[in-house]
Amino acid sequence: MAELDDVLEAWRPISRRTCPPPDVLWQLIEGTAPDRVGAHVVACPLCADDVADGRALAEQTVWEVVLSWTREGLRALSSLCEVRPLAGEALRGPGEGLELRASGGGLRCRLELEPRGRELLDLRCTVTRGAEPVAHRLELVEDGKLLELRSSVAGVSVLEALTALDREIWVRAEEHSFAFDLRGETSEGGLSSDV
Amino acid sequence: MTTALETLLQRARAGEEPARGELYERYVAAVRARVRHGKRRRNWFWLEEEEDVVQEVFARFFSALDEGKYAHRDEDGLLGFLTRTGFFVIMELKGKLRAKEKLGVSPERIAALDLREVGRTLPMQLAERDCLARLYAAIEDLPAARAEVLKGWLYGSSVADLATRMGRSANAVSGLKFQGLKQLRSRLTDSGFLEECGEVFGLRHG
């Protein structure tokens, strides 16, 4: 019965011969596949892995989320973080950017995200204590590595033309720090602060 | 009313290279961002050149335009098409790695795997599904260690990884596979599997 070994070899699930084709898995991701496909994906580790990969691809990146905000208006980023559309001052007008605010230790930190074209983002940070500007450092961090550093002038710091978005923004003022977490997996969480 | 994007697509369909270049420039950042996001989110350690995926997505998109296989609805639909194409490219890359035994299922997942349930949920259009389900159930019914090693082999786990997880030597794992296959043959023979499923799999019997 050596042929049985050949059958097993030919039908090893690792070949995906026993799995739904990729277009059917994509239907599952889009929510249009038959229930039976979902049951298979739950049982099959290969398909579960493939579907998780597809879902990760299908997730909006933070950049797309920002574009979505600017197109469709305000969405809550986090209950911890006050978010509002940018408006007034030197900005282009309501609905074209986002403003994130956090406070602690008597400080107010204001982060403005403004799309520049389709692919770039300008970021402007203001820290104040009451009406007074507060000197601070603005850091762009990726995977724990410091990519960019700006020192404030008159309480304002600016990072222009950012392209990648899976990053964290740290604002350090006096002995306090504000962290705006822009990584995709926490885009709904938004903000932390160790003030 | 024709939108600027529709006009651009029409020009690209007509073979105008500047229009294709403009489409590429307009959407390459979005595709690249999604591939990078997927790579980081899902730990695609095996994907060394993410840019290759990005370029392949656009090559297929322009082929689809040429062959009339892209039906434009709106910009979201276009981004969806590019994302879906990216998924297919990623799946093909994974398939090649799986064929080379370089991307098997982890032994931890194997330990939690119910092969009987996989058999129950095989695609309906698979002609061999009932017999495969029997085969998988027979493997699941083997003594636990033998079943685990056979399942690991079926799903591309390495012997070394299985040995580490099971706290055994590589030789012991190979021995479990040998004994498992032997016992499986015996049980399948006794259960009449060959008579009932031999033809489905092109097996000789009798």
Side-chain angles (χ1 to χ4, degrees):
Chain A
M1 216 164 131
E3 296 98 331
L4 179 65
D5 294 0
D6 296 335
V7 169
L8 282 170
E9 180 70 48
W11 287 94
R12 288 172 71 193
I14 190 72
S15 69
R16 289 200 86 261
R17 198 174 167 187
T18 57
C19 295
D23 56 326
V24 174
L25 292 185
W26 189 258
Q27 288 173 5
L28 183 76
I29 292 165
E30 291 186 323
T32 59
D35 292 345
R36 184 174 182 82
V37 177
H40 176 79
V41 169
V42 168
C44 173
L46 295 169
C47 287
D49 190 65
D50 293 341
V51 167
D53 284 348
R55 289 201 165 118
L57 273 178
E59 278 175 351
Q60 286 187 317
T61 62
V62 173
W63 172 247
E64 290 171 287
V65 172
V66 171
L67 283 179
S68 166
W69 285 334
T70 59
R71 279 200 300 258
E72 299 170 16
L74 178 66
R75 283 185 193 172
L77 180 66
S78 163
S79 58
L80 295 172
C81 179
E82 188 183 349
V83 187
R84 58 182 71 186
L86 282 174
E89 300 181 20
L91 305 168
R92 295 177 199 162
E96 295 195 3
L98 276 183
E99 178 184 310
L100 289 79
R101 290 185 178 189
S103 59
L107 298 175
R108 287 187 67 80
C109 178
R110 179 179 180 219
L111 201 66
E112 299 160 59
L113 305 173
E114 189 175 12
R116 179 195 284 195
R118 186 171 179 88
E119 298 170 7
L120 301 175
L121 184 76
D122 290 345
L123 191 152
R124 171 187 161 109
C125 179
T126 309
V127 180
T128 53
R129 180 185 296 281
E132 295 298 313
V134 173
H136 63 271
R137 293 196 321 173
L138 178 62
E139 300 174 359
L140 181 65
V141 176
E142 185 177 53
D143 294 337
K145 292 180 185 170
L146 180 64
L147 297 182
E148 298 274 357
L149 171 65
R150 295 286 185 278
S151 294
S152 64
V153 176
V156 176
S157 56
V158 176
L159 277 170
E160 291 183 324
L162 300 180
T163 52
L165 291 154
D166 287 351
R167 295 172 175 180
E168 298 164 54
I169 304 294
W170 283 84
V171 180
R172 303 188 193 278
E174 299 177 344
E175 71 273 27
H176 306 296
S177 297
F178 299 92
F180 296 85
D181 192 337
L182 298 183
R183 290 172 299 177
E185 56 265 38
T186 54
S187 61
E188 291 178 2
L191 174 86
S192 64
S193 167
D194 61 1
V195 291
Chain B
M1 188 177 135
T2 306
T3 65
L5 176 55
E6 286 167 347
T7 303
L8 194 58
L9 284 164
Q10 284 167 4
R11 288 174 48 211
R13 274 198 190 95
E16 286 187 35
E17 284 305 319
R20 294 188 180 219
E22 198 173 329
L23 279 170
Y24 174 83
E25 290 301 327
R26 194 162 169 172
Y27 295 107
V28 68
V31 173
R32 192 176 287 132
R34 292 216 174 191
V35 174
R36 284 181 179 168
H37 176 72
K39 181 177 180 178
R40 187 166 306 170
R41 182 75 168 247
R42 297 284 302 151
N43 187 26
W44 292 337
F45 62 89
W46 43 268
L47 180 58
E48 293 176 0
E49 298 295 337
E50 59 204 38
E51 196 60 24
D52 290 349
V53 175
V54 175
Q55 298 306 316
E56 183 64 20
V57 166
F58 280 93
R60 293 187 188 194
F61 169 59
F62 290 129
S63 291
L65 269 186
D66 290 340
E67 295 163 12
K69 291 180 179 173
Y70 170 70
H72 184 66
R73 189 185 75 233
D74 54 24
E75 188 170 52
D76 284 346
L78 172 53
L79 283 168
F81 183 92
L82 293 171
T83 305
R84 188 176 70 228
T85 304
F87 176 63
F88 294 159
V89 173
I90 291 289
M91 288 285 288
E92 286 177 19
L93 286 174
K94 290 175 73 177
K96 287 175 184 169
L97 291 168
R98 284 169 175 165
K100 292 178 184 171
E101 308 275 331
K102 290 182 176 174
L103 198 60
V105 174
S106 73
E108 289 73 23
R109 299 277 298 276
I110 291 298
L113 169 67
D114 182 349
L115 208 49
R116 192 177 282 102
E117 191 59 26
V118 174
R120 271 197 285 265
T121 60
L122 289 169
M124 293 295 284
Q125 62 272 26
L126 204 59
E128 300 86 348
R129 61 186 298 273
D130 290 341
C131 287
L132 276 171
R134 277 184 70 180
L135 189 55
Y136 290 169
I139 294 171
E140 197 66 64
D141 286 338
L142 291 172
R146 293 176 183 179
E148 186 169 337
V149 169
L150 281 188
K151 287 192 283 184
W153 170 63
L154 290 175
Y155 280 88
S157 306
S158 74
V159 170
D161 288 346
L162 284 167
T164 301
R165 198 202 109 68
M166 299 175 77
R168 299 176 188 244
S169 68
N171 280 341
V173 168
S174 296
L176 283 167
K177 180 185 172 189
F178 179 81
Q179 292 299 330
L181 284 171
K182 186 177 173 186
Q183 191 172 13
L184 184 67
R185 287 186 204 109
S186 172
R187 288 189 177 184
L188 289 175
T189 301
D190 293 346
S191 69
F193 178 82
L194 270 190
E195 286 72 22
E196 293 160 35
C197 292
E199 197 171 331
V200 170
F201 292 122
L203 292 175
R204 287 179 288 116
H205 65 278

